[in-house]
Amino acid sequence: MDKFVIKGGNALHGKVRVSGSKNGSLPILFGSLLVPGPLLLKGVPTRLRDIKTTLNILRELGAQIEERDQQVAIEVPTEGPVTATHELVSKMRASISSFGPLLARRGEAVVSLPGGCNIGDRPIDLHIQGMEALGAEVRYENGYIHARGPLRGGRVYLAGPMGPTVLGTQNVMMAAAGAEGVSIIEGAACEPEVCGTAKFLRAIGVVVEGDGSPTIRIEGVGQDGFANLGGVSFEMPPDRIEAGSYMIAGAAAGGQVTVENCRPNENMALISILQKIGVPVEIGEDSVTVTGVDKVSPIDVATLAYPGFPTDLQGPLMALLCKTEGVSLITEKIFPDRFTHLSELRRFGAKVRKEGSTAIIEGGSKLQGAEVMASDLRASACLVIAGLMAEGETHVNRVYHLQRGYEDMDKKLRSLGGDVQCIDEAALEKQE
Ligand code: EPZ
């Protein structure tokens, strides 16, 4: 099992290029199930574990796939299996977004209920509610959801008690693309990844309007219309969470870091927070330059649906806020239990505690390198950033979590002057 060995204290300098978006690519890859013709998807972060898992699920569903570095050529026959197995779905919750396109294209979908998750409860009731609004008959059997079409246009309010659902919106949007007639999704998520999937659907020939707003209108092509959906070449968007993570790393451990190939407008909530706490930020056309600081001003932050501060950057920001002169607060309003990184941060000597879904971060203590355990993707990024800030050596174990969503993070940090090595522990034991 791999781990990162980090020697803290080096100031980061230089430019880092953001890879294709994990959360932008996953739904679009599953959306390829809708398309009869050959698809060429470019800018795909193919070295990410989650992308490899997704391609394996698509192969299980009969897709012909050819990977060429950051490009994926896909062709999906109309007939084929309709089951996404527990073995693969349990590895990655996002597999639930195979449900909508499968149901639309093949008239049936059998998808394993996603397993538990380190960031808290991950229900899919809104996904099901959306499919039923499109006429699907849904039943649960032995841990699997069984759904049958045909799908017809419908209207659904999709937001739940915790606000809109990002994957739920995209799942229902892709199902609606194959339904007979027009569908309206109210209470839709407005995240950039939703707009990316809508752009993909328009590229293959589906009329989608209103994406980026809470109301999305989709003109379904119906079972007979699939033949008109064209095989296209489509470029994935850059990863806004990876971009934000490197902006935070630059503030926490930087001399000066420029994050390239990003969309600054998609990270304005984070940029506004960085500026409020005293981090110098320069915004370019497709880059953001951040200057490192020793101390930050206190701040009270809450994670919210887009365009609010994203829950996926909550962990990375918590590492930076250990530099607060005084006390900062982060309230998690999307996943109230998403604090597994908090106890690991304390191993660095950070003064952090939690009351309900609010983390209280008291600055003033210089972090000391420690042996820590990664638990989920973004918690891992938090621990790596803390390791860069800390005095001495840090070992971040189980970095396979990190490799699910950050491409080549050790290489990218080394290119900025960070002392970060990725060690294969099994190989290490063999040497001893
Ligand atoms: C997406 O997950 C992202 N994953 C998550 O990123 C991200 O944290 C999340 O959106 C919120 O921004 C992908 O895009 C692959 P939600 P998703 O449905 O769509 C509740 C990462 O680290 N809810 O928007 O699954 C849910 O419990 C990952 O890259 C229901 O109640 O999240 C949560 O409280 C982690 N019922 C809130 O809605 C449902 O049917 C938002 O969840 C679905 C969700």
Side-chain angles (χ1 to χ4, degrees):
M1 207 176 283
D2 290 355
K3 70 175 176 180
F4 273 11
V5 176
I6 304 167
K7 290 192 179 68
N10 292 14
L12 303 181
H13 285 280
K15 296 176 179 176
V16 61
R17 184 174 175 77
V18 174
S19 298
S21 171
K22 168 183 90 81
N23 291 351
S25 298
L26 297 178
I28 290 172
L29 285 166
F30 284 117
S32 67
L33 291 163
L34 288 167
V35 187
L39 265 183
L40 180 59
L41 300 175
K42 299 177 178 174
V44 183
T46 47
R47 291 193 291 279
L48 293 181
R49 287 173 180 271
D50 277 8
I51 299 293
K52 293 180 187 306
T53 301
T54 300
L55 296 179
N56 288 336
I57 293 174
L58 289 170
R59 288 186 182 99
E60 266 203 1
L61 296 170
Q64 298 299 315
I65 292 174
E66 196 185 320
E67 283 178 64
R68 289 190 298 268
D69 192 20
Q70 306 274 300
Q71 295 192 0
V72 176
I74 294 184
E75 187 144 4
V76 181
T78 300
E79 301 306 320
V82 294
T83 300
T85 62
H86 182 67
E87 197 265 331
L88 280 167
V89 171
S90 58
K91 279 187 192 157
M92 184 186 71
R93 185 183 178 285
S95 327
I96 189 65
S97 38
S98 61
F99 187 19
L102 207 51
L103 184 55
R105 178 86 183 278
R106 295 185 176 159
E108 186 183 359
V110 181
V111 180
S112 167
L113 278 164
C117 176
N118 282 315
I119 65 177
D121 187 18
R122 307 291 296 272
I124 56 165
D125 56 313
L126 300 173
H127 295 246
I128 305 299
Q129 184 184 311
M131 302 306 167
E132 288 175 330
L134 300 181
E137 284 171 33
V138 179
R139 61 184 171 78
Y140 294 81
E141 198 174 292
N142 304 101
Y144 280 77
I145 313 155
H146 294 248
R148 275 191 183 286
L151 299 180
R152 53 166 165 57
R155 186 177 193 120
V156 61
Y157 176 77
L158 214 43
M162 305 300 281
T165 164
V166 175
L167 281 178
T169 298
Q170 296 173 86
N171 214 356
V172 175
M173 205 163 64
M174 293 191 284
E180 198 69 52
V182 175
S183 296
I184 304 283
I185 302 174
E186 313 271 11
C190 302
E191 269 69 4
E193 292 77 25
V194 173
C195 300
T197 299
K199 188 178 170 192
F200 167 74
L201 290 174
R202 282 190 285 270
I204 65 172
V206 179
V207 175
V208 182
E209 297 157 344
D211 46 292
S213 86
T215 303
I216 301 177
R217 180 180 179 277
I218 305 105
E219 289 181 16
V221 298
Q223 280 303 321
D224 303 338
F226 278 106
N228 306 326
L229 293 185
V232 294
S233 163
F234 185 83
E235 180 87 24
M236 296 301 191
D239 193 311
R240 73 183 163 101
I241 302 301
E242 183 191 17
S245 302
Y246 282 105
M247 289 176 209
I248 294 171
Q256 192 168 72
V257 171
T258 297
V259 180
E260 295 186 317
N261 184 40
C262 69
R263 297 175 178 173
N265 63 303
E266 293 179 354
N267 269 311
M268 287 318 293
L270 168 66
I271 289 168
S272 160
I273 289 168
L274 293 176
Q275 290 171 326
K276 280 181 187 156
I277 64 177
V279 175
V281 180
E282 284 165 54
I283 299 174
E285 187 67 29
D286 60 357
S287 69
V288 173
T289 298
V290 176
T291 303
V293 292
D294 293 330
K295 292 285 172 208
V296 298
S297 306
I299 193 164
D300 180 354
V301 172
T303 64
L304 293 167
Y306 193 85
F309 177 64
T311 172
D312 292 347
L313 288 177
Q314 180 257 104
L317 182 68
M318 191 182 290
L320 172 61
L321 293 185
C322 292
K323 291 189 163 192
T324 299
E325 283 189 307
V327 178
S328 285
L329 305 176
I330 305 182
T331 300
E332 182 48 82
K333 295 197 170 178
I334 305 293
F335 295 112
D337 298 328
R338 191 177 197 172
F339 290 112
T340 53
H341 43 288
L342 199 140
S343 50
E344 295 302 305
L345 267 182
R346 276 204 285 266
R347 293 180 54 71
F348 287 96
K351 293 178 194 155
V352 292
R353 60 189 172 84
K354 185 167 86 77
E355 280 184 19
S357 61
T358 295
I360 298 143
I361 306 111
E362 192 181 335
S365 54
K366 177 77 181 135
L367 302 188
Q368 302 297 321
E371 181 98 23
V372 290
M373 190 75 75
S375 55
D376 91 64
L377 172 55
R378 309 304 175 184
S380 315
C382 165
L383 301 180
V384 171
I385 292 169
L388 293 168
M389 293 160 61
E391 271 171 356
E393 189 167 291
T394 291
H395 290 207
V396 182
N397 294 297
R398 298 188 184 172
V399 283
Y400 62 85
H401 289 291
L402 194 79
Q403 292 157 342
R404 292 186 52 192
Y406 290 94
E407 229 180 21
D408 303 330
M409 190 177 223
D410 53 324
K411 294 191 185 84
K412 290 187 178 184
L413 288 172
R414 279 201 299 276
S415 74
L416 292 171
D419 187 340
V420 182
Q421 299 300 326
C422 183
I423 309 286
D424 173 351
E425 281 201 291
L428 211 60
E429 277 154 22
K430 275 193 198 128
Q431 283 169 9
E432 285 162 8

